[in-house]
C-alpha cells in the first residue's frame, strides 16, 4: 500500500485521543436542494472507518464508534426516519461512518436489513460511499438490490490523482491506480462512479493545492468518473488538520479558491462537477468542525448564497460572477496567489514534518527514513515539471 509511516503513527495517536461518538448520535439525516431537486443524506454509526482506526486520513473524522454498535437500535431509528420521508428525491445518499462496502464496518446481515427498509424510497439516484479498495462484486450486488429502480452511484474518496500527495499529504493508504480499477468494476456492474476530490491539501500553499485539485478533477473525468464532488476541507476536531492549524501550519482555503478551481472547466465539464461541504451542515450545537472555508465578513453571506444556488442549479454563470466578485478580500486573495509558489514545496513539507515529529515524539530514525523516501519519490514525481 501507499503508506506513510510517520503520518500513520501521528494520526493513530490523534485517533486514540478522540472520544467515542455518544450513544445518542446513532443516526442523522439532512435534506437540501441539489441538482435541481431534493437530496437526502441518511447517516448511521458503525465501528467507524477501519483505515481511520489504524491511523487514517489527515482531514477525516466521520465518527469513532465503540466496539459494540447497537445495530438493533440503529436499524429501528433508520426505519422511523425512512417512514417519515414522503418526498421523491433527486439523490438519496446512504452513508455509514466509514465505507458501506467494507464488511468489517457494515456486515452482510446489516446490508440485508438495510435493503428491507429502503424499498419504499423514491429517488432518481441512489448513492453509497466506500473506499476504492473495498469495491467487490458482492458489495455491488447489495447496491443493485437496495433501491432497484434508481440509478446507482458509488461515491469514492479519491481526494487527489497524485500518488505523492495521497501518501505524503493525505495519508490515504491507497493509490490512484486502485481507483481506476474500481471504476472498471463499477461500470462492469452497470453502475456509475462519483469521485470525491479535495481542495486544501496540507503541507503546501493554497495556490499549489488549487493546481493539484484542478489536475485531479481532469484526471478522474478522463479516467471514467461519471461525476465529481469537490470538497474544500474543513478543520475538524480529532484530526491532523486540527493539530496543524493549532500550530500555525494550516488554514482553510478561501471560497475564492473554490471558484478558481471551478473556473478552469468548460460548461460541459461543470455539468459533471458538484460542490459539497463548503459550509458546516451540522449547526453550532452538534458540530465538531472548528474551521471552515470562507471569505470576509463583508461578503461571506452573499458568496455563500451564490454557492448554495450553484449547488442547486449548476448554473456556470454563478462561477463567472464569483470570479469577478468586487470585494477587497477577493483582491487581496488574488495578490496573495501571485506571491505564492504554485508548485509543491518539498522544503516546506519537510520542515512541517519535523515540527510534527517533535510534537509527537516520533523516533528520529523513522523520521529520517520517511523524509528520505518522500524526497526520492518527490524527485521522481516532479523533476520534469
Amino acid at each position: 500500500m501507499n503508506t506513510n509511516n510517520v503520518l500513520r503513527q501521528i494520526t493513530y495517536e490523534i485517533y486514540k485521543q478522540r472520544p467515542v461518538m455518544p450513544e445518542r448520535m446513532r443516526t442523522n439525516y439532512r435534506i437540501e436542494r441539489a441538482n435541481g431537486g431534493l437530496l437526502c443524506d441518511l447517516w448511521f454509526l458503525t465501528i467507524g472507518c477501519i483505515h481511520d482506526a489504524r491511523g487514517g486520513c489527515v482531514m477525516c473524522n466521520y465518527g469513532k464508534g465503540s466496539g459494540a454498535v447497537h445495530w438493533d437500535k440503529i436499524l429501528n431509528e433508520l426505519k422511523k426516519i425512512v417512514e417519515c420521508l414522503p418526498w421523491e428525491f433527486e439523490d438519496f445518499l446512504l452513508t455509514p461512518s466509514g465505507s458501506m462496502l467494507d464488511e468489517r464496518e457494515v456486515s452482510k446481515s446489516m446490508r440485508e436489513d438495510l435493503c428491507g427498509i429502503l424499498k419504499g424510497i423514491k429517488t432518481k439516484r441512489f448513492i453509497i460511499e466506500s473506499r476504492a479498495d473495498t469495491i467487490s462484486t458482492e458489495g455491488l450486488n447489495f447496491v443493485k438490490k437496495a433501491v432497484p429502480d434508481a440509478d446507482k452511484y458509488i461515491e469514492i474518496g479519491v481526494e487527489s490523482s497524485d500518488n505523492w500527495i495521497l501518501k505524503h499529504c493525505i495519508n490515504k493508504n491507497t493509490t490512484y491506480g486502485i481507483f481506476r480499477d474500481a471504476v472498471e468494476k463499477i461500470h462492469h456492474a452497470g453502475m456509475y462512479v462519483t469521485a470525491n476530490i479535495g481542495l486544501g491539501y496540507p503541507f503546501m500553499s493554497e495556490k499549489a493545492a488549487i493546481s493539484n485539485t484542478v489536475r485531479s478533477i481532469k484526471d478522474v473525468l478522463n479516467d471514467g468518473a461519471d461525476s465529481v464532488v469537490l470538497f474544500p476541507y474543513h478543520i475538524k476536531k480529532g484530526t491532523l488538520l486540527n493539530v496543524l492549524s493549532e500550530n500555525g501550519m494550516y488554514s482553510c482555503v478561501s471560497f475564492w479558491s473554490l471558484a478558481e478551481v471551478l473556473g478552469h472547466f468548460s460548461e460541459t465539464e461543470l455539468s459533471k462537477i458538484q460542490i459539497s461541504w463548503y459550509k458546516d451542515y451540522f449547526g453550532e450545537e452538534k458540530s465538531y468542525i472548528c474551521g471552515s472555508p470562507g471569505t470576509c465578513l463583508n461578503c461571506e453571506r452573499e458568496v455563500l448564497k451564490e454557492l448554495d444556488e450553484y449547488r442547486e442549479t449548476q448554473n456556470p454563470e454563478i462561477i463567472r460572477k464569483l470570479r469577478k466578485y468586487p470585494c477587497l478580500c477577493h483582491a487581496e486573495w488574488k495578490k496573495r496567489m501571485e506571491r505564492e509558489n504554485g508548485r509543491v514545496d518539498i522544503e516546506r513539507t519537510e520542515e512541517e514534518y519535523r515540527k510534527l515529529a517533535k510534537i509527537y515524539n516520533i523516533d528520529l530514525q523513522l523520521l529520517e527514513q520517511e523524509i528520505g523516501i518522500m524526497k526520492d519519490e518527490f524527485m521522481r514525481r516532479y523533476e520534469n515539471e
Side-chain angles (χ1 to χ4, degrees):
M1 276 297 186
N2 207 25
T3 303
N4 182 303
N5 291 310
V6 168
L7 288 185
R8 189 167 190 174
Q9 185 171 327
I10 292 170
T11 52
Y12 178 63
E13 290 300 319
I14 294 169
Y15 176 85
K16 286 195 298 184
Q17 298 302 315
R18 192 190 302 162
V20 171
M21 289 282 281
E23 181 74 10
R24 69 180 184 279
M25 295 179 70
R26 287 186 292 260
T27 60
N28 190 40
Y29 77 99
R30 64 183 172 88
I31 296 172
E32 63 172 314
R33 298 203 66 85
N35 286 328
L38 291 176
L39 174 147
C40 179
D41 183 351
L42 179 59
W43 173 90
F44 62 93
L45 182 66
T46 67
I47 62 170
C49 173
I50 298 298
H51 172 52
D52 187 29
R54 293 172 175 172
C57 299
V58 299
M59 66 289 180
C60 284
N61 180 358
Y62 284 109
K64 179 180 177 180
S66 66
V69 174
H70 300 289
W71 177 241
D72 54 339
K73 295 180 181 179
I74 291 172
L75 187 64
N76 188 50
E77 288 183 17
L78 292 175
K79 281 180 182 177
K80 289 180 179 179
I81 292 170
V82 170
E83 287 168 0
C84 294
L85 297 175
W87 307 283
E88 188 164 337
F89 297 100
E90 189 76 8
D91 298 293
F92 189 94
L93 176 61
L94 181 67
T95 55
S97 50
S99 290
M100 179 65 76
L101 303 186
D102 191 328
E103 290 185 8
R104 296 165 295 182
E105 300 170 32
V106 184
S107 68
K108 293 177 187 177
S109 62
M110 290 165 73
R111 289 182 200 156
E112 286 297 318
D113 291 338
L114 290 169
C115 284
I117 69 170
L118 292 171
K119 288 179 180 176
I121 292 294
K122 295 178 181 178
T123 183
K124 183 176 179 180
R125 288 177 287 268
F126 175 60
I127 307 163
I128 62 101
E129 288 189 67
S130 213
R131 279 174 59 90
D133 53 7
T134 67
I135 305 303
S136 66
T137 301
E138 189 168 3
L140 294 174
N141 286 337
F142 150 72
V143 181
K144 283 182 182 178
K145 183 180 176 182
V147 186
D149 297 330
D151 290 336
K152 315 297 192 302
Y153 280 76
I154 312 299
E155 195 164 334
I156 296 175
V158 182
E159 309 308 334
S160 171
S161 62
D162 187 318
N163 283 331
W164 192 90
I165 291 173
L166 290 177
K167 181 176 181 178
H168 300 295
C169 299
I170 299 175
N171 194 41
K172 191 72 180 177
N173 201 38
T174 187
T175 66
Y176 185 62
I178 293 174
F179 165 72
R180 287 199 298 260
D181 291 343
V183 170
E184 190 174 331
K185 290 177 187 175
I186 293 164
H187 283 168
H188 183 72
M191 303 183 200
Y192 301 95
V193 178
T194 296
N196 293 346
I197 298 295
L199 173 60
Y201 313 125
F203 308 112
M204 66 177 71
S205 70
E206 190 165 338
K207 186 176 182 178
I210 290 169
S211 174
N212 280 280
T213 294
V214 170
R215 182 185 301 170
S216 296
I217 293 174
K218 290 183 181 293
D219 284 344
V220 295
L221 289 174
N222 287 335
D223 288 330
D226 301 287
S227 59
V228 173
V229 179
L230 174 58
F231 289 79
Y233 294 149
H234 295 267
I235 300 169
K236 296 180 181 179
K237 296 174 185 176
T239 66
L240 180 54
L241 283 196
N242 191 27
V243 174
L244 289 168
S245 173
E246 288 177 341
N247 287 275
M249 292 182 276
Y250 187 82
S251 56
C252 290
V253 298
S254 168
F255 282 153
W256 308 127
S257 292
L258 182 58
E260 180 67 17
V261 168
L262 295 169
H264 280 77
F265 297 94
S266 67
E267 290 192 13
T268 301
E269 290 169 323
L270 282 175
S271 68
K272 299 179 181 180
I273 304 170
Q274 183 61 271
I275 59 172
S276 189
W277 285 101
Y278 49 91
K279 61 183 180 180
D280 185 348
Y281 291 104
F282 294 114
E284 289 184 12
E285 290 185 4
K286 294 183 178 180
S287 186
Y288 48 96
I289 289 172
C290 45
S292 296
T295 52
C296 74
L297 292 175
N298 291 329
C299 69
E300 185 164 292
R301 181 177 293 183
E302 182 62 30
V303 171
L304 196 53
K305 182 180 175 183
E306 296 286 349
L307 290 172
D308 286 343
E309 186 177 348
Y310 177 74
R311 176 155 167 77
E312 180 180 349
T313 65
Q314 297 288 102
N315 181 357
E317 187 57 40
I318 296 169
I319 303 305
R320 287 191 280 269
K321 179 180 176 181
L322 285 173
R323 294 186 80 199
K324 297 177 181 177
Y325 197 92
C327 185
L328 181 60
C329 77
H330 195 182
E332 291 172 347
W333 174 87
K334 288 178 180 178
K335 288 178 182 177
R336 179 161 60 85
M337 290 302 102
E338 290 173 2
R339 295 192 303 268
E340 283 190 357
N341 185 353
R343 298 184 61 194
V344 177
D345 183 349
I346 188 66
E347 292 180 0
R348 169 180 172 166
T349 310
E350 179 181 351
E351 179 186 348
E352 293 183 354
Y353 265 54
R354 293 191 183 281
K355 288 180 181 178
L356 284 172
K358 286 182 180 178
I359 295 170
Y360 285 95
N361 246 347
I362 301 298
D363 178 76
L364 225 86
Q365 186 175 348
L366 174 64
L367 175 66
E368 297 303 337
Q369 178 181 312
E370 201 63 52
I371 287 176
I373 292 170
M374 181 174 69
K375 286 181 173 179
D376 287 344
E377 292 178 351
F378 179 85
M379 290 298 293
R380 291 198 296 271
R381 171 65 184 86
Y382 295 107
E383 63 182 347
N384 295 321
E385 290 191 5

